[in-house]
Amino acid sequence: MKIHPTESERHVLTVTVDNEAGILAKIAGLFTARGYNIDSLTVADISEDHAVSRITIVTNGPPPVIDQIMAQLDRLVPVHKVIDLTEAGPHVERELALVKVRGTGAARGEAQRIADAAGARVIDTTEESFVFELTETSDRIDSFVSQMREHGLVEAARSGVVGMMRGTEGA
Amino acid sequence: MSEERSGAAILVECLVRQGVEFVFGYPGGAVLPIYDELFGDHRLRHILVRHEAGAAHAAEGYARSTGKPGVVLVTSGPGATNAITGIADAFMDSIPLVVITGQVATNLIGTDAFQEADTIGLTRHCTKHNYLVKDPAELAATIDEAFEIATTGRPGPVLVDIPKNVQVATAPMSDVPAQRPQRYRPRTTAAAEEIAEAIALLEKAERPIFYTGGGVINSGPRASELLRELQTLTGAPVTSTLMGLGAFPADHPEWLGMLGMHGTFEANMAMNQCDLMVNIGARFDDRVTGRLDAFSPDSTKIHIDIDRASINKVVPVDLPIVGDCATVLEQLVEVWGNRQPRDLSAWKAQIDDWRTRDSLAYPQRKGPIMPQLAVERLFALTHERDPIITTEVGQHQMWAAQYFGFVKPNRWLTSGGLGTMGYGMPAAIGAQLGNPGKLVIDIAGEASIQMNIQEMGTASQFRLPIKVFILNNEYMGMVRQWQELTYESRYSNSYSDSLPDFVALAEAYGWKGIRIEDQADLDASIQAMIDHDGPVMVDCRVSQEANCFPMIPSGAAHTEMLLYGDQVEGTMDDEAKALV
Ligand SMILES: Cc1ncc(C[n+]2csc(CCOP(=O)(O)OP(=O)(O)O)c2C)c(N)n1
Ligand SMILES: [Mg+2]
């Protein structure tokens, strides 16, 4: 007997929640308990009184599963609003990466040149290393990190995606 | 006016204000301050169970039979973990519970303190919502919200974990309910366009069917009345899930019987062949649908459910309607107005033809009592008293569902979603407390009853005249049946060995014990059970071989039903085994 996987799509969800203890565990646990995927998850409080947090989840699954994820999130008591940015229309997504590269001489120069081209900033330097900061879409960060692999990549840290609708309206 | 009160006192006051009559509980170190508040307070009645699982199931039985939320009070650590099965059961069957658990003091949380368990973490996915209260000043608003969340929208268990120092510390308590934001607003009413579309579909359907579930019961008795009205207006036949029994009267000519794995031939065939399926408060459980790709292939489907997450979860539907069953039924009845139902005689003739298969027939042999007959006699001798029936889990549960006719809601209490053995006796205790004077019977199996047998002491202590009617086949019959079907009758560990003498056990607890071995004694013994003014345990010895039919084997379609007398022994391929 075989277990058959199904076709999946990438979706970016933003979830506005009451900033109460355990909410992150509740949401992350919902994904594991029901077998949904999390590609990335970010969370931070966004209101002046720290009462509300915004969570951005990048997930993938077949469309009916995405619909279920939305419904399951929506029925949690501390969840105010769930928006599927991918469905809702034009939106922007950004991720922040810190990328450490080690090298000297020509290799070092080459790393800096690639970083300049990608729009990365240098935020730490030693004689033989850089830490670059790049805020970009996930794809661009992927390609930046993979280019650096050949130019002395030591490590990369990524924030996960945050996103927002384009235009005048808020979520 | 506000006055300084301890957390424990605030809790008790809030429970009283919520109209709570009974608290099902068990004391321990982390709830002693609350128990001290309960001492001498006659506004609440504390029902001391014998195991915390019993408390949760008793609260469920109370809730399901009265429509009011059940309240549970247990200590930290083992008290909370023991209650979890009942909490999970209530979550699956959408039963409103408010569960209060004690917790170690806030400064000890996370230190592996004595009787510390991460109750919030453990119950996160089997409660509708849960709270850890760290300040007595938040307690009143939290308790009020807990009741609101448990009882509105799709009902369910809500847990409030209260550290011991929060029970002791004080906060001002005012005479009026605490202020709190309204953050839970389930949608209850359907949009006019949705109702119009549903009516249009109902009007033109040639082979309509109402497929109803526990949501109709949970929505309150008015929903059951409205279902009957809508049925009369449209003429469509009705089937129901296990959880929905009683919403539509079993003696009605348009009643098809229960559907699903052990449903009637006519119910399952009608589901398969209908052109319009109106799902009201059911959730396309795998025990109902059978093989999904063969489930009602040619029908248009309407799904009415208060929980949007239940819609399109397993079966995609054409018209989803998020709303409360009673409200939406009312809207439908109103908009139908005085439209004339379509002529459904061809459909009815087809259904009558399926009915002639008499799928609930079973062989009546000389020899041991057939369990189906025992349930039929129990029904015949008790139905005029409008009894409340609870069950355990297994064959006896299915026979009770098949052969006991329910005509009103809130009379049938069974563990459907979780399928928890040990549910029935504590649920009967809760139901009896909520319905004094009513006849409450737990139709049990000899294996299941042992899972919460300690609750006999609770019934004795509180003078609850519950009846436990054990269909004793000396087997975990449902397991044996599956082993016959799937594993060539290799009866691995399904024999009930070393059974207690149930009559002697009854007597040991101060109950009356009755044994039935001979069919000739069946009626008289059932009558003796009914007539006894106190708890009774009946050990009804039944056929060890009887099986539960009809049956849709796991992984089969509705049209591939096994009836009594069909070949039952065999094996299955791995795909089918995995679906079990
Ligand atoms: C707590 C729990 N453990 C295991 C099961 C699996 N199970 C389902 S039915 C059954 C046998 C029940 O036997 P009995 O109570 O004698 O009922 P019968 O089927 O014989 O009528 C078992 C073990 C369950 N449903 N619940
Ligand atoms: Mg048995």
Side-chain angles (χ1 to χ4, degrees):
Chain A
M1 183 190 144
K2 296 249 158 35
I3 292 169
H4 308 285
T6 36
E7 287 284 314
S8 67
E9 289 177 1
R10 174 181 182 276
H11 283 246
V12 181
L13 315 179
T14 67
V15 190
T16 316
V17 300
D18 283 331
N19 193 12
E20 62 184 42
I23 178 64
L24 192 57
K26 191 154 185 130
I27 288 180
L30 181 126
F31 275 72
T32 38
R34 295 190 181 264
Y36 309 144
N37 301 313
I38 300 183
D39 295 339
S40 83
L41 186 153
T42 68
V43 57
D45 80 58
I46 51 164
S47 62
E48 215 171 324
D49 58 358
H50 309 292
V52 176
S53 287
R54 177 154 164 156
I55 300 177
T56 312
I57 303 169
V58 181
T59 182
N60 68 76
V65 172
I66 302 293
D67 188 56
Q68 257 300 298
I69 293 174
M70 300 283 291
Q72 292 288 352
L73 286 170
D74 208 29
R75 74 175 185 158
L76 300 178
V77 174
V79 169
H80 294 254
K81 205 172 206 179
V82 190
I83 294 174
D84 181 347
L85 292 179
T86 310
E87 278 294 301
H91 64 279
V92 287
E93 285 174 34
R94 284 297 179 272
E95 191 177 352
L96 182 146
L98 301 180
V99 178
K100 182 177 288 183
V101 177
R102 186 190 326 211
T104 49
R108 182 175 164 88
E110 183 60 9
Q112 177 131 42
R113 199 192 55 74
I114 295 167
D116 283 347
R121 289 201 302 147
V122 176
I123 57 170
D124 179 70
T125 333
T126 68
E127 299 265 291
E128 38 185 286
S129 72
F130 289 119
V131 175
F132 297 112
E133 178 216 295
L134 178 63
T135 303
E136 252 306 346
T137 60
S138 301
D139 285 356
R140 295 239 171 114
I141 290 178
D142 287 348
S143 82
F144 180 65
V145 173
S146 83
Q147 275 181 298
M148 285 304 180
R149 225 160 246 139
E150 278 143 47
H151 298 92
L153 177 73
V154 177
E155 62 177 346
R158 298 170 65 153
S159 64
V161 172
V162 291
M164 191 171 275
M165 299 296 299
R166 286 180 183 274
T168 51
E169 299 305 307
Chain B
M1 259 278 306
S2 76
E3 192 190 340
E4 278 289 310
R5 305 288 300 273
S6 72
I10 292 172
L11 169 69
V12 169
E13 205 55 50
C14 288
L15 295 180
V16 170
R17 284 185 195 171
Q18 287 289 340
V20 174
E21 300 173 275
F22 299 106
V23 175
F24 299 91
Y26 207 91
V31 282
L32 284 177
I34 300 171
Y35 271 84
D36 196 52
E37 277 301 321
L38 289 174
F39 188 79
D41 189 329
H42 298 294
R43 296 173 301 170
L44 291 175
R45 198 155 160 229
H46 181 271
I47 305 300
L48 179 68
V49 294
R50 299 300 186 266
H51 183 290
E52 290 87 349
H57 294 315
E60 287 187 272
Y62 172 82
R64 290 212 67 191
S65 62
T66 63
K68 296 182 239 173
V71 178
V72 177
L73 171 61
V74 296
T75 192
S76 65
T81 54
N82 274 349
I84 284 181
T85 302
I87 297 170
D89 193 274
F91 187 58
M92 286 290 265
D93 285 346
S94 311
I95 311 299
L97 296 187
V98 173
V99 181
I100 312 291
T101 51
Q103 183 54 276
V104 301
T106 46
N107 56 307
L108 291 176
I109 289 179
T111 66
D112 302 316
F114 177 63
Q115 294 195 325
E116 179 181 1
D118 175 12
T119 304
I120 293 299
L122 288 167
T123 60
R124 192 165 279 136
H125 302 294
C126 62
T127 51
K128 187 172 171 188
H129 192 49
N130 63 16
Y131 308 83
L132 174 64
V133 183
K134 290 185 173 163
D135 180 350
E138 288 166 12
L139 201 48
T142 304
I143 297 293
D144 288 353
E145 191 181 72
F147 275 88
E148 181 189 329
I149 290 170
T151 54
T152 57
R154 179 175 179 173
V158 176
L159 184 140
V160 186
D161 200 25
I162 313 179
K164 195 171 180 181
N165 57 344
V166 176
Q167 300 167 30
V168 176
T170 61
M173 167 142 205
S174 88
D175 298 341
V176 293
Q179 291 293 313
R180 62 190 165 90
Q182 279 298 115
R183 56 175 182 156
Y184 183 64
R185 289 186 210 87
R187 176 179 153 172
T188 55
T189 312
E193 312 80 73
E194 293 167 342
I195 298 295
E197 200 179 332
I199 293 291
L201 288 167
L202 268 165
E203 225 186 341
K204 71 168 209 280
E206 288 172 9
R207 301 185 307 281
I209 187 171
F210 290 115
Y211 151 44
T212 66
V216 181
I217 312 273
N218 287 340
S219 177
R222 183 80 187 117
S224 297
E225 285 168 27
L226 287 159
L227 172 64
R228 292 159 201 222
E229 274 182 49
L230 186 63
Q231 192 286 321
T232 311
L233 293 174
T234 59
V238 183
T239 181
S240 150
T241 65
L242 180 72
M243 298 308 291
L245 295 178
F248 194 75
D251 55 6
H252 193 289
E254 298 302 340
W255 170 243
L256 297 168
M258 180 173 78
L259 84 165
M261 183 173 271
H262 293 292
T264 64
F265 188 74
E266 52 271 32
N268 286 328
M269 290 303 288
M271 285 289 279
N272 185 265
Q273 302 284 310
C274 64
D275 67 350
L276 176 68
M277 176 187 299
V278 187
N279 172 340
I280 312 175
R283 58 184 178 85
F284 296 107
D285 182 82
D286 54 277
R287 287 300 191 251
V288 158
T289 59
R291 206 176 77 224
L292 274 175
D293 57 11
F295 175 70
S296 197
D298 303 317
S299 61
T300 301
K301 298 177 183 72
I302 303 176
H303 188 177
I304 302 165
D305 204 297
I306 189 113
D307 181 9
R308 167 158 103 80
S310 284
I311 296 177
N312 290 328
K313 182 170 63 179
V314 278
V315 172
V317 297
D318 304 281
L319 176 58
I321 301 182
V322 177
D324 168 56
C325 289
T327 313
V328 176
L329 280 165
E330 181 123 54
Q331 292 176 281
L332 289 170
V333 166
E334 203 179 294
V335 174
W336 182 279
N338 43 24
R339 272 162 232 255
Q340 285 308 302
R342 202 185 162 115
D343 174 17
L344 300 176
S345 54
W347 178 226
K348 298 293 170 64
Q350 168 69 81
I351 289 171
D352 285 341
D353 191 47
W354 288 324
R355 286 187 203 270
T356 60
R357 287 292 290 271
D358 196 8
S359 62
L360 293 178
Y362 56 91
Q364 304 252 22
R365 298 195 200 91
K366 278 251 166 294
I369 301 172
M370 288 300 276
Q372 296 91 334
L373 177 77
V375 176
E376 282 181 326
R377 294 314 302 157
L378 195 60
F379 173 60
L381 293 167
T382 63
H383 77 270
E384 279 184 354
R385 292 165 186 261
D386 187 21
I388 295 174
I389 302 297
T390 74
T391 74
E392 307 291 334
V393 172
Q395 290 180 318
H396 62 275
Q397 176 189 31
M398 293 300 129
W399 287 319
Q402 292 172 327
Y403 298 96
F404 208 100
F406 295 94
V407 292
K408 291 184 189 165
N410 307 97
R411 304 296 193 277
W412 165 245
L413 323 181
T414 196
S415 169
L418 201 64
T420 311
M421 294 169 70
Y423 167 88
M425 182 161 39
I429 288 172
Q432 186 77 78
L433 281 160
N435 301 269
K438 259 219 181 303
L439 177 62
V440 181
I441 309 173
D442 173 23
I443 298 181
E446 84 295 334
S448 295
I449 196 66
Q450 294 181 78
M451 286 222 178
N452 273 318
I453 195 102
Q454 75 288 342
E455 298 308 324
M456 292 179 80
T458 310
S460 302
Q461 180 179 349
F462 296 95
R463 309 246 179 286
L464 302 174
I466 59 168
K467 319 296 178 201
V468 174
F469 193 88
I470 304 172
L471 295 174
N472 183 350
N473 54 6
E474 287 183 38
Y475 271 102
M476 296 173 197
M478 193 53 98
V479 175
R480 179 185 50 67
Q481 178 167 347
W482 279 93
Q483 289 171 335
E484 272 169 32
L485 259 114
T486 322
Y487 298 97
E488 296 167 315
S489 300
R490 288 186 293 277
Y491 294 156
S492 179
N493 293 281
S494 52
Y495 182 65
S496 287
D497 209 319
S498 306
L499 285 173
D501 175 338
F502 286 113
V503 171
L505 185 69
E507 284 159 5
Y509 271 106
W511 291 33
K512 183 181 174 69
I514 298 176
R515 179 163 296 118
I516 311 177
E517 281 165 314
D518 195 335
Q519 195 167 310
D521 301 333
L522 190 56
D523 281 16
S525 300
I526 291 173
Q527 196 58 50
M529 173 190 88
I530 302 167
D531 292 343
H532 181 70
D533 180 23
V536 183
M537 179 167 269
V538 178
D539 179 12
C540 183
R541 300 301 182 91
V542 296
S543 162
Q544 297 193 2
E545 279 104 54
N547 277 341
C548 200
F549 289 105
M551 177 170 187
I552 301 174
S554 188
H558 274 177
T559 46
E560 299 163 5
M561 232 168 303
L562 296 174
L563 301 191
Y564 231 108
D566 287 344
Q567 205 242 268
V568 292
E569 192 175 311
T571 183
M572 277 183 187
D573 62 19
D574 288 353
E575 300 272 350
K577 277 183 188 165
L579 281 162
V580 168

Coordinates of all heavy atoms in Angstrom, one line a residue, chain B residues 393-396 399 419-421 445-449 451 471 473 475-479 496, ligand 1:
Chain B
V393 N -19.7 2.0 24.2 CA -19.3 2.0 22.8 C -19.1 0.5 22.3 O -18.4 -0.2 23.0 CB -18.1 2.8 22.5 CG1 -17.5 2.6 21.1 CG2 -18.4 4.3 22.8
G394 N -19.7 0.2 21.2 CA -19.6 -1.2 20.7 C -20.8 -1.6 20.0 O -21.6 -0.7 19.6
Q395 N -21.0 -2.9 19.8 CA -22.2 -3.4 19.1 C -23.5 -2.9 19.8 O -24.4 -2.6 19.2 CB -22.1 -4.9 19.1 CG -21.0 -5.5 18.2 CD -21.1 -7.0 18.2 OE1 -21.2 -7.6 19.3 NE2 -20.9 -7.6 17.1
H396 N -23.5 -3.0 21.2 CA -24.7 -2.7 21.9 C -25.1 -1.3 21.6 O -26.3 -1.0 21.6 CB -24.4 -2.9 23.4 CG -23.3 -1.9 23.9 ND1 -22.0 -2.3 23.8 CD2 -23.4 -0.7 24.4 CE1 -21.3 -1.2 24.3 NE2 -22.1 -0.3 24.6
W399 N -26.8 -1.4 18.3 CA -28.1 -2.0 18.4 C -29.1 -1.1 19.1 O -30.3 -1.0 18.7 CB -28.0 -3.3 19.2 CG -27.4 -4.4 18.3 CD1 -27.6 -4.7 17.0 CD2 -26.4 -5.4 18.8 NE1 -26.8 -5.7 16.6 CE2 -26.1 -6.2 17.7 CE3 -25.8 -5.6 20.0 CZ2 -25.2 -7.2 17.7 CZ3 -24.9 -6.7 20.1 CH2 -24.6 -7.5 19.0
G419 N -16.0 8.1 20.4 CA -16.3 6.6 20.6 C -15.7 6.1 21.9 O -14.9 5.2 21.9
T420 N -16.1 6.8 23.0 CA -15.4 6.5 24.3 C -16.1 5.4 25.1 O -17.2 5.7 25.6 CB -15.3 7.8 25.1 OG1 -14.8 8.8 24.3 CG2 -14.4 7.6 26.3
M421 N -15.5 4.3 25.2 CA -16.0 3.3 26.2 C -16.0 3.9 27.6 O -15.0 4.5 27.9 CB -15.2 2.0 26.1 CG -15.2 1.2 24.8 SD -14.0 -0.1 24.7 CE -14.6 -1.2 26.0
G445 N -22.2 -2.6 27.3 CA -21.5 -3.8 27.0 C -20.7 -4.2 28.2 O -20.3 -3.4 29.0
E446 N -20.4 -5.5 28.4 CA -19.7 -5.9 29.6 C -18.3 -5.5 29.6 O -17.7 -5.3 30.7 CB -19.8 -7.5 29.7 CG -18.7 -8.3 28.9 CD -18.8 -8.1 27.4 OE1 -19.9 -7.9 26.9 OE2 -17.8 -8.3 26.7
A447 N -17.7 -5.2 28.5 CA -16.3 -4.6 28.5 C -16.3 -3.1 28.8 O -15.6 -2.7 29.7 CB -15.6 -4.9 27.2
S448 N -17.1 -2.4 28.1 CA -17.2 -0.9 28.3 C -17.5 -0.6 29.7 O -17.0 0.4 30.3 CB -18.2 -0.3 27.4 OG -17.9 -0.5 26.0
I449 N -18.5 -1.3 30.3 CA -19.0 -0.8 31.6 C -17.9 -0.9 32.6 O -17.9 -0.1 33.6 CB -20.2 -1.7 32.0 CG1 -21.0 -1.0 33.2 CG2 -19.8 -3.1 32.4 CD1 -21.6 0.3 32.8
M451 N -15.0 0.2 32.3 CA -14.1 1.4 32.1 C -14.4 2.5 33.1 O -13.6 3.3 33.4 CB -14.1 1.9 30.7 CG -13.3 0.9 29.8 SD -12.3 1.8 28.7 CE -11.5 0.5 27.8
L471 N -25.7 -5.7 27.8 CA -25.8 -6.8 26.8 C -24.5 -7.6 26.9 O -23.5 -7.2 26.2 CB -26.0 -6.2 25.4 CG -27.4 -5.4 25.3 CD1 -27.4 -4.8 23.9 CD2 -28.6 -6.4 25.5
N473 N -22.2 -10.2 26.1 CA -21.8 -11.2 25.1 C -20.4 -11.8 25.3 O -19.9 -12.5 24.5 CB -21.9 -10.7 23.6 CG -21.1 -9.4 23.5 OD1 -20.4 -9.0 24.4 ND2 -21.2 -8.8 22.3
Y475 N -17.7 -10.7 24.9 CA -16.7 -10.3 24.0 C -16.7 -8.8 23.8 O -17.8 -8.2 24.0 CB -17.1 -10.9 22.6 CG -16.5 -12.2 22.3 CD1 -17.3 -13.4 22.4 CD2 -15.1 -12.4 22.0 CE1 -16.7 -14.6 22.2 CE2 -14.6 -13.6 21.8 CZ -15.4 -14.8 21.9 OH -14.8 -16.0 21.6
M476 N -15.6 -8.3 23.5 CA -15.6 -6.9 22.9 C -16.2 -7.1 21.5 O -15.5 -7.3 20.5 CB -14.2 -6.4 22.8 CG -13.5 -6.2 24.2 SD -11.8 -5.8 23.9 CE -11.2 -6.2 25.6
G477 N -17.5 -7.2 21.5 CA -18.2 -7.7 20.3 C -17.8 -7.0 19.1 O -17.6 -7.6 18.0
M478 N -17.7 -5.6 19.1 CA -17.4 -4.9 17.9 C -16.0 -5.2 17.4 O -15.8 -5.3 16.2 CB -17.5 -3.4 18.2 CG -17.6 -2.5 17.0 SD -18.8 -3.1 15.8 CE -20.2 -2.0 16.2
V479 N -15.1 -5.5 18.4 CA -13.7 -5.8 18.0 C -13.8 -7.2 17.3 O -13.2 -7.5 16.3 CB -12.8 -5.8 19.2 CG1 -11.4 -6.3 18.8 CG2 -12.7 -4.4 19.7
S496 N -13.8 -11.3 26.7 CA -13.9 -10.7 28.0 C -13.8 -11.7 29.0 O -14.7 -12.3 29.5 CB -15.3 -10.0 28.2 OG -15.3 -8.8 27.4
Ligands
LIG1 C1 -11.7 3.8 25.6 C2 -11.8 2.9 24.4 N1 -10.9 1.9 24.2 C3 -11.0 1.1 23.1 C4 -12.0 1.2 22.2 C5 -12.1 0.3 21.0 N2 -13.4 -0.5 21.1 C6 -14.5 -0.1 20.4 S1 -15.8 -1.2 20.7 C7 -14.9 -2.1 21.8 C8 -15.5 -3.3 22.4 C9 -16.6 -3.0 23.4 O1 -17.0 -4.2 24.0 P1 -18.3 -4.2 24.8 O2 -18.4 -3.0 25.7 O3 -18.5 -5.5 25.5 O4 -19.4 -4.0 23.7 P2 -19.9 -5.0 22.6 O5 -19.3 -4.5 21.3 O6 -19.6 -6.4 23.0 O7 -21.4 -4.7 22.6 C10 -13.6 -1.6 21.8 C11 -12.5 -2.2 22.6 C12 -12.9 2.3 22.5 N3 -13.9 2.5 21.7 N4 -12.8 3.1 23.6

